Amino acid sequence: MRTSGDWPPTSPADAPAGAAAAPGHGAGATVAGGIWPRASWPVGARRVLGTAGLALRTLLLGADTRPSWLAARSRATRWLVVSALTVLTVGLFRTQAEIVRHAHPSVGVWAPLIALVQVLPLPLIVRYPLLAWRLGYLAALLAPLLPERPWGTWVWDPAQIPVFGLAFCVAGLRYARPLRWAMWALMVPLLFIWVPDMSDAVGGNVALTIVVVLLDTRSARSRAQRELRVQTDLSELEASRRAALEERTRIARELHDVVAHHMSLIAVQAETAPYRHQGVPEPLLDEFSSISGAAREALTEMRRLLGVLRSEDTAAQRAPQPDLSGVSELVEAARRAGVRVDLSVRGHADRVPATVGVCGYRIVQESLSNAGRHAAGAAVEVVIDFAPDAVRLSVVNGAGRAEAAVRAGTAVRAEAGGRRAGHGLTGMRERVALLGGELRSGPTEEGGFEVRAVLPLAVTA
């Protein structure tokens, strides 16, 4: 007795329950589901046949779902291609109608219609390449039925092959590999059926196969390039997000120093108030003690937060945070590195908060570093305007030499205390957004680059 997985059964007794042999048949009789049920086929064979069946159904009955290959082109390019195809189709139709009329006198008044079917795939390839291929295939299948053979052993009119071939190439590039090879599988028999010379039929099919392989290679390369672009975009987006997070963490570490300084002052003032003022009432002493305790507790929590924010490879920095008073040192460092810098300061920095000073210093530092790296030999103008309500910064450099100037940019960072300038414009935007300010950056009309920032003195939430 065979098991249920042994197919095909050799006798009615071996068949599954409910499956009877066909009358008058013995061993190997047909059972329900066919002689070789599809469920017993190997998984790979079922997948291949399923893909082939779907490709044939889509090829013969499916709609052109892919967008036009001109959709990504400019408007002028689309109009140019459409106009050229329209003119070419009209001219080819008139020529082909005359050819059909003289080459096939038996068709009579039907010559224009036959010529139209032969050239109509040409304008359809812009938006409907599958429909264009179907029309070309239908014309190639039926044209040899005409009684006249004016071209000898070649059964198709001269315009049919290039138009049909163009429709095949466009459809093959627009759609996936299964559809491409399904078209090839339907086109191969045409030559064997209608071309009487076997050598011509074999040569034509070899040429067709080479074209399909080239189309397949081109399509695979295009698909790989698209996937690479997508992965590159995703990597750049992830790198940008990571840079923004790192810069925010770095800003938080810097702000810790500023806030900790103010909290320390609060704690010290609250603790020394009873000694600096005589006759402080007992309730106020308790209030000062509570303020001092809250300030010290806040300092402890901030130190814990700083430990969380500091990465493993970031050592604790003991130096005080820089401010706008250190911009002159940045300028001197840039000049020693060979960058021509002109510094202009308007107003006084008496009322500038520490957070604004750190932000302005970092913007100038990063801008000078970028100018040294990307605009070698160009003059840089730095303007700091201390207005009553905001600090306005402007760093503008001209067009530099073509060669790289990594040394200059590195020297600016090294002589400015060894601090890293951050993540470029990303870091600038994060810092300015934290203060509620404005940042504008971009190329100038002269070919240089400018960075302009407005940092409000009254920091908004």
Side-chain angles (χ1 to χ4, degrees):
M1 184 70 178
R2 290 178 179 265
T3 62
S4 59
D6 294 331
W7 288 92
T10 57
S11 67
D14 293 331
H25 291 71
T30 303
V31 296
I35 293 180
W36 194 277
R38 184 172 180 177
S40 66
W41 295 353
V43 176
R46 292 202 303 269
R47 184 180 297 113
V48 170
L49 290 177
T51 302
L54 179 61
L56 284 174
R57 286 195 301 270
T58 304
L59 177 62
L60 299 178
L61 303 175
D64 279 286
T65 56
R66 297 295 300 272
S68 171
W69 52 275
L70 286 176
R73 275 42 175 202
S74 63
R75 184 182 181 90
T77 301
R78 293 198 299 268
W79 274 104
L80 181 61
V81 173
V82 171
S83 301
L85 285 177
T86 302
V87 173
L88 182 60
T89 301
V90 173
L92 187 60
F93 167 71
R94 297 180 61 181
T95 303
Q96 188 65 17
E98 291 296 325
I99 292 176
V100 173
R101 183 177 294 110
H102 290 86
H104 307 284
S106 60
V107 300
V109 296
W110 297 102
L113 180 59
I114 295 175
L116 179 62
V117 174
Q118 292 176 346
V119 302
L120 190 57
L122 192 57
L124 292 177
I125 61 174
V126 175
R127 179 60 184 87
Y128 304 102
L130 277 185
L131 180 59
W133 181 88
R134 291 168 189 159
L135 285 177
Y137 186 82
L138 181 64
L141 185 64
L142 300 181
L145 296 178
L146 296 176
E148 296 85 4
R149 295 292 178 90
W151 318 112
T153 59
W154 195 254
V155 295
W156 292 287
D157 292 330
Q160 279 189 269
I161 300 304
V163 173
F164 186 29
L166 182 61
F168 167 67
C169 291
V170 174
L173 288 175
R174 295 299 296 166
Y175 289 90
R177 176 177 295 169
L179 224 63
R180 191 178 309 120
W181 286 100
M183 287 188 287
W184 171 85
L186 293 179
M187 293 169 66
V188 165
L190 286 179
L191 292 172
F192 288 118
I193 293 173
W194 294 119
V195 177
D197 191 343
M198 183 57 65
S199 61
D200 291 343
V202 172
N205 279 323
V206 170
L208 176 62
T209 304
I210 293 175
V211 171
V212 176
V213 171
L214 292 177
L215 292 177
D216 198 75
T217 304
R218 177 67 176 85
S219 180
R221 181 180 179 183
S222 299
R223 183 173 62 253
Q225 290 176 344
R226 289 194 300 269
E227 293 175 354
L228 179 60
R229 285 195 296 268
V230 170
Q231 292 301 323
T232 301
D233 293 341
L234 291 177
S235 299
E236 291 178 353
L237 179 61
E238 182 62 26
S240 177
R241 291 175 177 174
R242 185 167 56 251
L245 291 176
E246 291 176 356
E247 192 64 23
R248 290 173 185 174
T249 302
R250 184 167 177 263
I251 294 172
R253 292 198 300 266
E254 293 178 353
L255 288 179
H256 164 270
D257 296 341
V258 176
V259 177
H261 172 70
H262 294 300
M263 296 298 296
S264 298
L265 287 179
I266 294 174
V268 171
Q269 289 177 348
E271 290 178 353
T272 60
Y275 304 100
R276 291 182 289 105
H277 303 282
Q278 300 296 327
V280 179
E282 188 67 25
L284 289 181
L285 292 176
D286 295 339
E287 188 73 18
F288 283 133
S289 177
S290 176
I291 294 173
S292 174
R296 292 189 177 279
E297 183 178 354
L299 280 173
T300 301
E301 296 298 330
M302 287 187 63
R303 292 191 183 98
R304 292 174 180 172
L305 177 62
L306 181 64
V308 173
L309 293 177
R310 181 179 292 116
S311 58
E312 296 181 357
D313 57 348
T314 303
Q317 297 177 352
R318 302 297 183 183
Q321 294 297 334
D323 55 21
L324 289 172
S325 62
V327 170
S328 58
E329 298 178 3
L330 283 178
V331 171
E332 290 300 325
R335 288 171 178 169
R336 287 193 295 269
V339 182
R340 292 180 296 158
V341 186
D342 181 20
L343 175 62
S344 175
V345 180
R346 305 167 187 169
H348 301 282
D350 299 335
R351 297 172 47 251
V352 177
T355 52
V356 176
V358 173
C359 179
Y361 179 91
R362 294 302 187 196
I363 290 176
V364 176
Q365 182 187 35
E366 180 66 28
S367 300
L368 288 176
S369 177
N370 288 340
R373 287 198 304 268
H374 306 299
V380 183
E381 181 182 7
V382 180
V383 177
I384 304 177
D385 184 7
F386 295 100
D389 58 340
V391 176
R392 291 175 171 81
L393 301 175
S394 173
V395 183
V396 183
N397 62 266
R401 298 193 302 267
E403 62 269 15
V406 179
R407 179 185 60 83
T410 304
V412 172
R413 295 193 301 272
E415 298 200 28
R419 294 180 181 270
R420 182 171 52 89
H423 294 281
L425 293 177
T426 301
M428 294 184 193
R429 293 191 182 96
E430 292 291 337
R431 293 177 182 278
V432 173
L434 180 66
L435 300 178
E438 300 177 3
L439 178 70
R440 292 184 297 121
S441 61
T444 62
E445 295 180 356
E446 294 78 14
F449 197 84
E450 65 177 357
V451 176
R452 301 182 186 275
V454 178
L455 310 178
L457 297 180
V459 180
T460 59

